[in-house]
Amino acid sequence: MNKCVHCGADCGKHPIEKNGNLFCCNGCQTVFEMLNGSEMQQYYEFEQQPGIRLNEVPHQNKYAYLDNDEVKEKLYDFFDNGIAKVTFYIPTIHCASCIWLLEHLNKLNEGVKYGAVNFVKKTYTVSFDTEQISLRQLVELLVSIHYIPDISLQDIDGKEHGSKQNKSLIYKIGVAGFVFGNVMLYSLPEYFNGEAVDGSFGVFLYYLMYVLTIPLVFYSGSDYLISAFKNLRKGIVNIDLPIAIGILALFAVTSYEVLLGIGPGYSDSLSGFLFFLLLGRWYQSKTYQALAFDRDYKSYFPVAVTRITDEVEESVLLKNIEVGNQLLIRNKELIPADSVLVSGNALIDYSFVTGESVPVIKKKDDFLYAGGIQTGGAIVVKIDKEVEQSHLTQLWNQSEKQAKSKRSLTSIIDRISGRFTIAVIIIAVAGFSYWMLQADFKTALMVLTSVLIVACPCALALSLPFTFGSAMRVLGQKGMYLKNIDVIEKLTTIDTIVFDKTGTLTKPEESSVKFVGNPLTDHELNMVLALAKQSTHPLSAAVAANYSPAEALQTIGFTEIAGRGLFATINQMPIKLGSLEYVSGEAEAVQQENSAVYISINNQLRGYFKVSNQYREGIEEVIAALKSKYDLYLLSGDNDGEKENLLSYFESDKIRFNQKPQDKQNFILQLKEEGRRVLMTGDGLNDSGAFLSSDVALSLADDIYHFSPAGDAILEAKHFSRLHQFVRYAQKSLRIVKQSFIISICYNFIGLAFAISGNLSPVVAAILMPVSSITVVVFTTFSTRWAGKKI
């Protein structure tokens, strides 16, 4: 057989040949040449799976409606400064090759900036430059490689495709329930008699039941049949294969017996089997949706924002902000809801939203999307939409770091199901052969179908996501908020923990601040405080909080250099705050006993604020508990004035002071080169490089609203004393996964024992299969909650 080099289909007697490659159609040739012309041959290397055949070429005006501004406005998730973001539902996403190609679409067109696939929902979120590629051209590009977006009125009305998928499953359950009810009704005469009904009436009933099983098999059971067939063509053995074999085996024997007048067949077993199977699938989907729904913004953004009321600043929980509230957004703070700029010079970094890192300048009354990060001085915004209605609720799960994590898509379920399913098929065939040798065809068929059904590895595949999903909820309720379930698994593998000092081990809001140097006038102090209050760095926050509210002064050219200091021009005078090296260009001759924030006014060094650290409550217990199991390190951008205090917690050779952000990142990379698995704990302000380099990045959040897109988790600072318990809980969650695996395996062995002996009917097996999934879900849910009570 001549196989198409792109899709693997049979090219027939007259294949299209070019450069020694065979193609089944012009569409496959076009896609192949496009991928190879863009040096994207790696598409064909993922799991050795071929591409998708392009069955039709759309008419050139089919997507002309996407040039309509009103349509574009409703489809866009985000649009600003020529950068747009849109999410498509693409049903043809089916494998790792699809994911790789869609997330590298920028190689086919430079206008595409960033793309991320949600494999479970089969959605594709893409950011693109509308000056380089329009929405219509983007869709036509996707269609040309046969990833056809399902764009409908539902998308324009803002509805999700999930409801469409749910309706399809409900319709199939309805058909299966109708068939099951009627078939069981027609089977009553046979059940009461204890034997097949003779005569024309019996034949009529058997034919009637058989006709009903046709839509049951090819409509209600179509998902299992199609999934098994497509994956088998790709050389993949998935969970649906044994179920599909069982369906076809029962239907084939029923057809044989009824059409030849031999007997009634197995219409009752087949209809009951599929009905209960679909009910179990519906339950699993509803439970998974409930788990996903619980992971909304309320779980991830509990920290406060700064609201301005009658020129008075107050910290309020994010959930309490309302439309019309004015918020103060400092440098590096994230805009929590769609807003309008009221005052200040806004330079918004939308890289967390679009992947495009070039900041956008905004003027007064301009619209600001949630998720943008202010990169200049402090600004005041007015909330335009509630948090629930803005797209901030989607941002956490769409970060680039998570998009790169595909472990759960092609390895967990397929790895569990692949070998297990092959083993089940071998056992089923062996049992069938044994009973055939005993000349008992009825028992042989029952053994074949029962083994295939009862040993379905669905419960195995559900163990990990439901355990870790439940653990995420528990941790969220306790004050630690994880980005995804992968973080829990990573927490169980860490062997090294690195702490930042300022704002992590210390409490910036309770620091003691004293000025040392030439006295400042009230006006000079106001200028210094006007600069300090625009930064979220703990030392700047400590200085600003120590004095009465400063007079509102306009800052020009605000700049913050991570780990070094701040600069701005106020009243035509340059003001600097930060390290001595940054402020004056000189290295410190004498080490300070405490953290110091130096001041330069009009290029003259005026002195420094001496900030005495107050350590967080419970630090002794946390460090002692972690030290027994992990290597602990401390990195600090400050001098070693606190060294004597810190030696009671850390070993002297594991403390490093005067660490710039790049030094911290280099140290993390050095640890990883040594084979360490590192948890980095910081305040998320000047630790972004170290965060990105670590295996797990944990950001502590005080009452100031800031957000680190590089982080994997947020820990409310008031719960710092529970850090060691959170890490221990992650390890317990992994043990629960292993226990649920054991339960599922034991269930399968017991079920197989009954099925192979011919003592388990297909209907009972179909009931037991979802029961096993329910058992795993109930066990993992209660176990994780019980373990969580000990935190």
Side-chain angles (χ1 to χ4, degrees), residues 549-566:
E551 177 186 349
L553 298 175
Q554 183 179 9
T555 59
I556 299 174
F558 176 90
T559 303
E560 181 169 6
I561 300 177
R564 298 186 65 195
L566 316 172

Side-chain angles (χ1 to χ4, degrees), residues 29-67:
Q29 178 189 348
T30 301
V31 176
F32 182 85
E33 292 176 348
M34 184 183 300
L35 295 176
N36 281 267
S38 302
E39 298 182 353
M40 297 178 70
Q41 300 92 333
Q42 189 179 356
Y43 170 74
Y44 297 99
E45 298 176 4
F46 282 84
E47 300 182 16
Q48 293 76 48
Q49 296 177 356
I52 301 175
R53 181 175 181 176
L54 184 62
N55 294 319
E56 58 174 320
V57 178
H59 188 273
Q60 61 180 355
N61 292 322
K62 179 176 181 178
Y63 295 104
Y65 69 93
L66 294 176
D67 290 328

Side-chain angles (χ1 to χ4, degrees), residues 219-426:
Y219 174 67
S220 296
S222 60
D223 289 342
Y224 296 104
L225 301 177
I226 294 172
S227 172
F229 174 72
K230 285 186 174 181
N231 281 277
L232 207 55
R233 282 186 59 190
K234 308 291 185 183
I236 300 172
V237 177
N238 71 340
I239 291 175
D240 294 330
L241 180 60
I243 299 175
I245 295 175
I247 293 172
L248 293 177
L250 284 173
F251 181 72
V253 175
T254 301
S255 301
Y256 172 77
E257 290 193 4
V258 172
L259 295 179
L260 295 182
I262 298 174
Y266 299 91
S267 297
D268 52 351
S269 298
L270 181 57
S271 59
F273 157 50
L274 262 175
F275 176 63
F276 290 113
L277 197 65
L278 291 170
L279 277 181
R281 185 177 180 183
W282 173 83
Y283 167 78
Q284 292 171 7
S285 67
K286 291 296 290 183
T287 309
Y288 192 86
Q289 288 171 11
L291 175 64
F293 177 78
D294 204 43
R295 296 177 57 211
D296 63 7
Y297 83 97
K298 295 175 183 177
S299 297
Y300 300 119
F301 302 96
V303 288
V305 294
T306 303
R307 183 169 63 189
I308 300 176
T309 306
D310 297 328
E311 299 186 357
V312 176
E313 298 177 9
E314 59 176 339
S315 292
V316 297
L317 293 177
L318 177 63
K319 66 180 181 180
N320 293 332
I321 66 172
E322 300 173 350
V323 174
N325 285 171
Q326 292 192 2
L327 305 182
L328 179 67
I329 307 296
R330 299 177 179 85
N331 181 46
K332 300 299 181 182
E333 287 187 346
L334 180 141
I335 300 169
D338 294 343
S339 313
V340 175
L341 180 62
V342 174
S343 64
N345 300 314
L347 190 63
I348 308 299
D349 178 1
Y350 280 123
S351 59
F352 188 43
V353 183
T354 66
E356 178 59 48
S357 59
V358 179
V360 179
I361 299 175
K362 290 295 181 180
K363 306 186 298 293
K364 182 179 179 182
D365 298 328
D366 280 353
F367 187 81
L368 306 178
Y369 282 94
I373 299 174
Q374 166 65 354
T375 58
I379 60 175
V380 177
V381 302
K382 183 178 181 181
I383 301 300
D384 184 69
K385 294 180 181 178
E386 295 181 1
V387 176
E388 297 96 326
Q389 296 176 356
S390 70
H391 67 284
L392 176 63
T393 59
Q394 308 168 19
L395 291 179
W396 179 276
N397 294 328
Q398 291 179 354
S399 71
E400 183 175 1
K401 191 171 183 179
Q402 181 191 3
K404 292 179 180 178
S405 176
K406 297 294 182 294
R407 177 190 54 78
S408 60
L409 301 182
T410 58
S411 61
I412 291 181
I413 294 177
D414 289 338
R415 187 173 66 245
I416 292 171
S417 64
R419 296 176 183 175
F420 188 87
T421 302
I422 292 173
V424 168
I425 293 174
I426 293 173

Side-chain angles (χ1 to χ4, degrees), residues 96-131:
S97 301
C98 304
I99 298 170
W100 184 87
L101 176 57
L102 290 172
E103 294 191 349
H104 290 79
L105 201 65
N106 60 308
K107 293 188 177 182
L108 297 182
N109 191 298
E110 294 181 354
V112 178
K113 299 300 181 183
Y114 169 73
V117 174
N118 185 320
F119 187 80
V120 175
K121 295 183 178 180
K122 298 192 182 300
T123 57
Y124 176 51
T125 300
V126 56
S127 299
F128 58 99
D129 188 337
T130 55
E131 295 183 1

Side-chain angles (χ1 to χ4, degrees), residues 81-102:
N81 201 40
I83 299 296
K85 176 182 173 185
V86 65
T87 300
F88 295 120
Y89 172 66
I90 304 181
T92 50
I93 296 174
H94 72 292
C95 67
S97 301
C98 304
I99 298 170
W100 184 87
L101 176 57
L102 290 172

Side-chain angles (χ1 to χ4, degrees), residues 428-444:
V429 172
F432 177 81
S433 302
Y434 170 80
W435 286 103
M436 284 296 292
L437 291 175
Q438 304 299 317
D440 191 344
F441 176 75
K442 184 175 182 179
T443 303

